[in-house]
Amino acid sequence: MPLNRRKFLGKSAATGVALAGGVAAAPSATAQAPGKPAKRTKRYSFTVMGTTDLHGNVFNWDYFTDKEFDDKDHNDVGLAKISTLVNEIREERGRRNTLLIDAGDTIQGTQLSYYYAKIDPITAERGPVHPMAQAMNGIGYDAAALGNHEFNYGIPVLRKFEEQCDFPLLGANALDAKTQRPAFPPYFMKRLRTPHGRDVKVAVLGLTNPGIAIWDKANVQGKMTFPGLEEQAAKWVPKLRSMGADVVIVSAHSGSSGTSSYGDQLPYIENAAGLVAEQVPGIDAILVGHAHTEIAEYFVENKETGKKVVLSEPLKWGQRLTLFDFDLVWSKGRWTVEKVGAQVLNSHTAAEDAKVTKLLADEHKKVVAYVNQVIGMSTQAMSTAEGPYKDVAIIDLINHVQAETVREALKGGRYAALPVLSQASCFSRTAKIPQGEITIKDAAGLYPFENTLEARLVTGAQLKEYLEFSARYFVQTAAGGPVDPAKLTNADNIPDYNYDALYGVTYEIDIAKAAGSRIVKLSFDGKELDPKAEFVLAVNNYRASGGGNFPHIAGAKQLWANSDEIRNTIIQWVRAKGTVDPGQFASVDWKLTRDGTPVF
């Protein structure tokens, strides 16, 4: 794959954008010779604004409920609101005293972004411009790091999106598999013109997530490699300093915790932003992404220099905007960072920018019409509200469709006689299938991720270990006392999507017991599960490739794989059936117990 430096790397490093204004020079306390004017210390201040994990959100709209977005904390989402905050900061501090960057995961996550990747794809001849490119161009982004979800639709879609952006997509550790050179611009550099005749050179280094090699293996294997963030930062930060960078900012699609969800499948850390700050000298600030957490301001001390590096992660989907405020002083012939701090602004306080909403009004209207297409009927209402701790019909629907699809795919083959099981998670606690008409948005809402379906060969013993690993999700709860469902799940911060329920076997999860010894009465077809028996497991590609670090699955034999998203498979299944009747597929196959007594 050829290097993609053609648009931005040389241009931005050479020219940049001149900035006027800044902070006036302050009087120096240094004593001066009699009769000579006092020397004045040159100072300059500027602000870097940052977003991350926008996931296709332009409007404050939930396409799966077909109404304005709202959550329990009454957050708002979308670039239209971010644009208003950006405009306010630019007005307050001077547009040319600001930069605007992003830390990745831009083109996946809503039906708006899905529509222009799959239904009316940007890759088609004379295809449309991606809504996220239109919005971010209109707002005036300076640079964005690549996120792992940028690769979900394949490299051609990503390259087309890159072509449509007026700003560079950065990835110093996204390398061409053959040449091992950056496949995207590693950095962006911009000159800020101060009132003192001395420009400030600001470098933004982009780093993405090594987990792409696992999670999007089908799209990147043999084409790109993704080494660790620390080693690539250690390579590039000194280069940027040698090129005259006065300020170095890292935009990292990587959380700050130092943890990984893929275990030992890769020698690199998934959430490495804190390690980069700690191990690589020469960095002033890091815009953190990927973890979907809010970190207003967090300081990490660099081991080599003792300097404190500021990290900030704005909340996902455009719910927050990070502000890094830099104060610089001219000393010994160069600009140095005297102070830097961070804060986040809540987009809930802002109105949507009419410029952005008008720009994408037609695209929004098309997608709303698309998701409201009726594709079938349901005899009962179903909801995921209790899905994390009960076996509910709506999760059984996902599993039933997956198992039926795999069973059909294996017909007539070597493994056709093996029983097919399925795994699924509660991806959203607000997904619903109403009684009566089912629309695309209803079906798609069950599966907000772009996962595809695979079939893997597993044994009974492996399934038992798989389930024990999954059951870590529940908080250990002593028998006899009251139970609060709101406090039963997410033990050790395990997200809902990393708890799997299995379909096709029956079992109990004894949450009075310690994790690792909770699965009891595990049976298949009315009999205790044979550890040596073989089964086919219908599993999403995220889990099959190691996502969540579940045991055995990543190394299990692949029997079949599909390139279409599971959400599309569900939509097509509903279209074909016409009527969805939970009585034909739903059953209580697992339940929570405490010392043998059901919790519910």
Side-chain angles (χ1 to χ4, degrees):
M1 182 173 297
L3 294 184
N4 190 22
R5 304 174 181 230
R6 61 196 182 278
K7 289 177 64 178
F8 299 103
L9 190 54
K11 183 179 78 172
S12 60
T15 61
V17 174
L19 300 193
V23 173
S28 171
T30 305
Q32 302 296 321
K36 291 186 176 182
K39 289 184 177 179
R40 297 173 69 84
T41 301
K42 297 181 178 71
R43 298 183 183 278
Y44 177 71
S45 297
F46 70 96
T47 297
V48 175
M49 299 174 282
T51 55
T52 191
D53 297 278
L54 294 169
H55 284 288
N57 285 280
V58 174
F59 298 85
N60 186 44
W61 194 261
D62 186 340
Y63 292 96
F64 295 129
T65 61
D66 199 24
K67 61 185 180 181
E68 281 197 7
F69 175 88
D70 195 23
D71 64 12
K72 62 182 178 63
D73 298 317
H74 302 297
N75 287 300
D76 286 349
V77 299
L79 276 170
K81 285 183 169 266
I82 288 294
S83 182
T84 297
L85 294 178
V86 168
N87 290 338
E88 290 173 357
I89 297 301
R90 285 171 173 165
E91 178 69 23
E92 176 187 318
R93 304 182 189 186
R95 181 183 180 94
R96 294 179 297 173
N97 296 321
T98 64
L99 298 177
L100 177 59
I101 63 176
D102 184 81
D105 275 6
T106 303
I107 61 171
Q108 176 277 338
T110 64
Q111 286 293 284
L112 180 68
S113 53
Y114 176 81
Y115 187 88
Y116 288 97
K118 291 288 189 177
I119 307 303
D120 185 11
I122 60 175
T123 49
E125 186 177 356
R126 298 181 182 178
V129 177
H130 198 286
M132 293 303 287
Q134 291 190 60
M136 295 174 82
N137 290 343
I139 296 168
Y141 273 77
D142 291 284
L146 293 163
N148 54 284
H149 283 289
E150 260 64 84
F151 294 84
N152 286 173
Y153 297 116
I155 292 173
V157 169
L158 174 54
R159 287 299 191 192
K160 188 65 177 180
F161 174 70
E162 179 189 28
E163 180 184 312
Q164 293 176 342
C165 290
D166 293 340
F167 53 91
L169 302 182
L170 308 178
N173 63 327
L175 308 182
D176 183 280
K178 292 181 180 179
T179 66
Q180 289 300 291
R181 298 177 64 193
F184 294 84
Y187 67 90
F188 172 76
M189 195 174 289
K190 195 166 189 177
R191 289 181 179 271
L192 313 185
R193 183 169 295 165
T194 76
H196 309 296
R198 307 282 186 172
D199 292 353
V200 172
K201 292 180 72 175
V202 181
V204 180
L205 179 69
L207 297 169
T208 192
N209 206 289
I212 295 166
I214 292 176
W215 305 322
D216 268 300
K217 182 179 179 180
N219 290 327
V220 301
Q221 187 174 36
K223 299 173 183 176
M224 291 186 191
T225 61
F226 302 88
L229 283 82
E230 308 98 306
E231 69 175 66
Q232 292 301 303
K235 172 183 176 181
W236 283 99
V237 171
K239 288 185 178 181
L240 296 174
R241 290 293 184 182
S242 70
M243 293 165 60
D246 300 300
V247 179
V248 173
I249 302 161
V250 173
S251 184
H253 193 76
S254 180
S256 62
S257 64
T259 60
S260 287
S261 68
Y262 40 69
D264 58 2
Q265 295 178 76
L266 289 175
Y268 313 117
I269 300 297
E270 177 182 350
N271 296 302
L275 297 174
V276 171
E278 181 182 84
Q279 297 176 15
V280 181
I283 297 169
D284 296 297
I286 301 180
L287 178 64
V288 179
H290 182 64
H292 289 202
T293 58
E294 181 176 344
I295 303 172
E297 181 182 63
Y298 173 53
F299 288 95
V300 174
E301 185 175 299
N302 185 266
K303 284 186 174 181
E304 183 175 326
T305 65
K307 174 184 173 181
K308 292 188 183 298
V309 182
V310 65
L311 283 69
S312 181
E313 180 176 4
L315 199 58
K316 65 186 184 297
W317 305 347
Q319 295 179 53
R320 303 288 186 274
L321 176 70
T322 279
L323 304 183
F324 290 109
D325 291 311
F326 290 86
D327 295 331
L328 278 62
V329 61
W330 181 263
S331 177
K332 298 179 181 179
R334 61 186 297 267
W335 288 107
T336 58
V337 176
E338 186 176 54
K339 181 183 177 183
V340 57
Q343 60 178 305
V344 295
L345 303 182
N346 192 332
S347 68
H348 179 63
T349 66
E352 290 190 322
D353 184 348
K355 173 186 171 183
V356 175
T357 56
K358 183 178 180 180
L359 182 67
L360 291 163
D362 289 344
E363 287 83 352
H364 176 68
K365 185 177 179 181
K366 282 182 182 179
V367 175
V368 167
Y370 164 74
V371 300
N372 280 287
Q373 291 179 30
V374 175
I375 55 174
M377 302 285 291
S378 178
T379 62
Q380 298 177 28
M382 296 177 278
S383 167
T384 57
E386 297 180 320
Y389 48 86
K390 287 185 181 180
D391 187 350
V392 295
I394 199 166
I395 304 297
D396 285 345
L397 172 60
I398 297 172
N399 272 320
H400 179 74
V401 173
Q402 291 182 163
E404 189 174 280
T405 301
V406 167
R407 200 175 291 115
E408 184 66 25
L410 297 180
K411 266 187 179 178
R414 176 182 173 186
Y415 300 97
L418 289 181
V420 178
L421 313 179
S422 180
Q423 62 80 221
S425 304
C426 181
F427 296 116
S428 165
R429 298 192 184 200
T430 59
K432 297 176 182 178
I433 296 291
Q435 184 176 15
E437 292 183 343
I438 303 173
T439 62
I440 285 178
K441 73 172 185 284
D442 298 325
L446 300 182
Y447 227 104
F449 298 105
E450 319 297 348
N451 294 344
T452 58
L453 187 61
E454 297 190 16
R456 297 283 178 128
L457 183 65
V458 295
T459 67
Q462 290 173 333
L463 287 171
K464 173 71 158 49
E465 292 183 33
Y466 185 100
L467 285 170
E468 288 286 9
F469 184 86
S470 185
R472 301 173 309 132
Y473 167 76
F474 295 103
V475 175
Q476 188 171 2
T477 307
V483 172
D484 181 357
K487 298 179 180 179
L488 273 180
T489 62
N490 307 113
D492 297 324
N493 294 316
I494 296 171
D496 293 345
Y497 63 77
N498 272 340
Y499 168 65
D500 286 359
L502 286 192
Y503 180 80
V505 291
T506 58
Y507 57 98
E508 296 178 2
I509 303 172
D510 193 331
I511 58 174
K513 297 180 179 179
S517 58
R518 292 178 167 174
I519 303 301
V520 293
K521 299 183 181 178
L522 177 57
S523 62
F524 171 73
D525 201 19
K527 300 176 183 177
E528 183 178 352
L529 191 72
D530 181 355
K532 296 181 180 179
E534 289 188 323
F535 299 87
V536 176
L537 180 64
V539 60
N540 68 57
N541 69 305
Y542 174 78
R543 191 70 78 234
S545 61
N549 201 30
F550 277 60
H552 306 300
I553 300 305
K557 182 180 178 64
Q558 184 189 78
L559 307 182
W560 173 82
N562 188 12
S563 61
D564 204 7
E565 289 91 352
I566 292 171
R567 77 156 64 106
N568 274 348
T569 302
I570 296 171
I571 290 168
Q572 291 160 9
W573 185 90
V574 173
R575 281 190 193 275
K577 293 291 181 181
T579 299
V580 175
D581 179 4
Q584 296 179 354
F585 57 79
S587 60
V588 179
D589 295 328
W590 65 272
K591 59 187 174 184
L592 300 184
T593 62
R594 292 182 295 176
D595 292 345
T597 302
V599 174
F600 301 106

